[in-house]
Amino acid sequence: MDTWEIITHLGENREEYHGAMIPPMYQTSNFKFDDLSAMQTALSDEYHYPVYSRGNNPTVKILREKLAALEGAEDALVFNSGCAAISTLLLSQLKAGDHMVCIAKPYGWVKYICDYILKAKGIQCSFVEVLDNDAGVYAYIQASNENTRLWYLESPNTFTFEVTDIAAVALASKERGIITVIDNSYSTPLYQKPLLLGIDFVIHSASKYLAGHSDVVAGVLCGNSESIKEIYQSYYLALGAVISPQDAWLIIRGLRTLPLRLEQSSKSALEILTAIEHHPRIEKIYYPFHHSHPNYEIAKLQMKSCSGLFSIKLKVDNTEAIHRFCDAFKVFSMAVSWGGFESLIFPALAFQVKDETDQNALSWKIVRFYVGFEEVEVLKNDLLQALAVINS
Ligand SMILES: *Cc1c(COP(=O)(O)O)cnc(C)c1O
């Protein structure tokens, strides 16, 4: 099924709701049964029947079908945040004594989940850099031991955009009986399909491109139907980090335009990067499809395209220069998150202390950009005038 058919039609039985183009928002907590037998049937199989909206809800079901199909997955679950999808999955797959290997700079709260929540449960985690020649394969193998049960990937990760060789890491995991998980938020299923490269579980923050309008916080988990059913019947229902029908409805609406939004964001980002790549105030560009990226070739092979999020490292020697730069923007807004309609900057200095001694720390000179849908000329000029302000 092609992308447009999934986005426009899949899961939507319009004759059930008077031919309405847009599916109803089933804003209900519970579902009524005609007789006791029907109720018995439903309660014995909550995976298939709507009983209570912590489990199944018809609006959420439409979204699950679309997301699974886009990823090439057998099934998908939707959560009330990306973090809920990640923590529910990790808690469901790991037990005391287990060990996991994770990319060195994952999404910030993943590090917290590993260092505090999992550790307190007796689960150890090692962090690995993936920027060597084989893009992570050796690093994941080297960091593993006989208790290693799970490899956690995020490719590209979303501040420094390091790229892991997904197919090679997935192959190495299979040889060792290790489960693989990837955070695919950056690429969306349109630009990268990790399950087809051999990964077991894909998670997303749907708060970013998938919902796409800066008005929803939600998460997604995709995998094979056996695993997803098992997680649904245990950790999903029990931890209860469930999405509301209204948020599911908003993501269905967001998906309608996902291909167009991605294309625009991606095109503008490349144009802006081309305009600034030789600027004397820029020390380094972090973007998987930029020729300076150490794993550019692998990125080109496994990603269909590259989205509208990148970082730059400024050539400055004091934090005041970063303040001058960031405060000078008139069109880009300063805010966390990304994937909406509006262009954003997020300076690492907002959360990073200036520590020159820790080689692994994210540099305070890095500023992340998300390119939205404003006129690209306007965005380019905004960035150029902010770079000029550094000298003042
Ligand atoms: C935002 C984000 C998350 C967390 O998702 P929430 O929906 O904010 O909980 C996870 N991974 C990546 C790459 C993100 O950008």
Side-chain angles (χ1 to χ4, degrees):
M1 203 179 297
D2 74 23
T3 301
W4 282 111
E5 200 176 341
I6 295 169
I7 287 172
T8 311
H9 297 299
L10 183 68
E12 299 179 72
N13 299 316
R14 295 193 168 99
E15 60 277 18
E16 273 178 27
Y17 28 84
H18 313 285
M21 193 62 78
I22 303 305
M25 188 196 299
Y26 287 91
Q27 190 72 37
T28 184
S29 60
N30 51 359
F31 298 84
K32 169 184 180 292
F33 301 101
D34 289 341
D35 53 37
L36 176 55
S37 307
M39 190 170 184
Q40 281 174 325
T41 306
L43 259 72
S44 68
D45 187 8
E46 242 192 284
Y47 182 64
H48 289 105
Y49 290 91
V51 173
Y52 186 57
S53 283
R54 176 153 36 77
N56 275 317
N57 173 283
T59 310
V60 175
K61 184 147 188 302
I62 295 170
L63 178 60
R64 284 175 57 191
E65 276 190 49
K66 288 184 191 293
L67 291 168
L70 287 173
E71 268 302 348
E74 288 174 0
D75 202 354
L77 294 175
V78 200
F79 297 77
N80 59 9
S81 74
C83 275
I86 297 166
S87 53
T88 302
L89 174 69
L90 293 180
L91 288 170
S92 77
Q93 301 300 306
L94 298 165
K95 59 180 189 317
D98 285 347
H99 171 252
M100 79 176 242
V101 182
C102 180
I103 182 174
K105 295 186 196 74
Y107 177 72
W109 285 99
V110 173
K111 189 124 192 0
Y112 181 89
I113 292 170
C114 294
D115 287 348
Y116 294 93
I117 298 178
L118 297 180
K119 198 169 172 197
K121 307 237 163 299
I123 298 154
Q124 300 300 321
C125 186
S126 308
F127 295 92
V128 292
E129 293 286 350
V130 297
L131 276 181
D132 55 357
N133 291 334
D134 66 3
V137 188
Y138 182 71
Y140 275 93
I141 294 172
Q142 187 70 5
S144 298
N145 59 48
E146 68 274 15
N147 297 323
T148 305
R149 189 161 152 70
L150 189 144
W151 286 354
Y152 188 96
L153 293 73
E154 186 182 329
S155 179
N157 55 341
T158 47
F159 230 96
T160 44
F161 307 102
E162 284 132 30
V163 169
T164 306
D165 187 336
I166 298 171
V169 169
L171 184 67
S173 77
K174 294 254 180 320
E175 289 163 354
R176 290 163 178 78
I178 292 169
I179 299 164
T180 45
V181 180
I182 190 168
D183 183 333
N184 198 30
S185 306
Y186 179 89
S187 300
T188 85
L190 267 54
Y191 284 175
Q192 181 167 276
K193 293 197 195 310
L195 295 175
L196 307 185
L197 299 173
I199 295 291
D200 297 313
F201 292 104
V202 169
I203 67 102
H204 286 278
S205 169
S207 325
K208 314 298 163 53
Y209 273 125
L210 297 180
H213 294 74
S214 302
D215 51 10
V216 172
V217 174
V220 183
L221 168 64
C222 300
N224 69 48
S225 44
E226 193 189 343
S227 308
I228 294 292
K229 185 176 176 186
E230 214 174 284
I231 295 166
Y232 174 89
Q233 287 171 333
S234 54
Y235 285 79
Y236 182 79
L237 282 174
L239 295 179
V242 60
I243 193 171
S244 71
Q246 181 175 11
D247 282 348
W249 187 90
L250 282 168
I251 300 173
I252 293 169
R253 184 175 71 163
L255 287 180
R256 310 280 192 203
T257 55
L258 179 62
L260 301 172
R261 292 186 286 106
L262 269 176
E263 195 181 329
Q264 178 64 39
S265 175
S266 164
K267 208 173 87 187
S268 295
L270 253 185
E271 218 175 304
I272 291 168
L273 281 172
T274 307
I276 60 160
E277 62 183 343
H278 301 300
H279 195 283
R281 279 293 177 187
I282 293 177
E283 187 176 317
K284 191 171 170 185
I285 285 170
Y286 301 82
Y287 190 65
F289 273 30
H290 191 259
H291 54 80
S292 67
H293 192 284
N295 292 333
Y296 174 71
E297 298 300 329
I298 293 167
K300 283 265 179 184
L301 265 178
Q302 67 191 19
M303 296 163 70
K304 190 176 162 204
S305 187
C306 204
S307 72
L309 194 64
F310 63 85
S311 291
I312 59 175
K313 188 186 213 170
L314 291 166
K315 214 177 277 175
V316 293
D317 49 23
N318 58 65
T319 53
E320 288 70 34
I322 305 279
H323 279 271
R324 275 203 302 282
F325 174 70
C326 292
D327 296 348
F329 282 91
K330 297 178 173 71
V331 182
F332 283 86
S333 302
M334 208 182 317
V336 300
S337 198
W338 49 276
F341 55 92
E342 79 286 22
S343 293
L344 300 170
I345 59 164
F346 184 0
L349 194 57
F351 61 87
Q352 197 74 17
V353 288
K354 189 183 165 187
D355 181 3
E356 310 277 1
T357 55
D358 183 359
Q359 291 301 309
N360 291 323
L362 192 66
S363 169
W364 56 273
K365 298 175 185 177
I366 294 178
V367 179
R368 189 181 77 183
F369 287 76
Y370 168 69
V371 180
F373 312 139
E374 301 90 342
E375 287 285 337
V376 66
E377 282 306 314
V378 172
L379 294 173
K380 225 188 290 181
N381 290 337
D382 196 32
L383 174 48
L384 287 170
Q385 65 82 24
L387 284 165
V389 169
I390 296 178
N391 296 328
S392 63

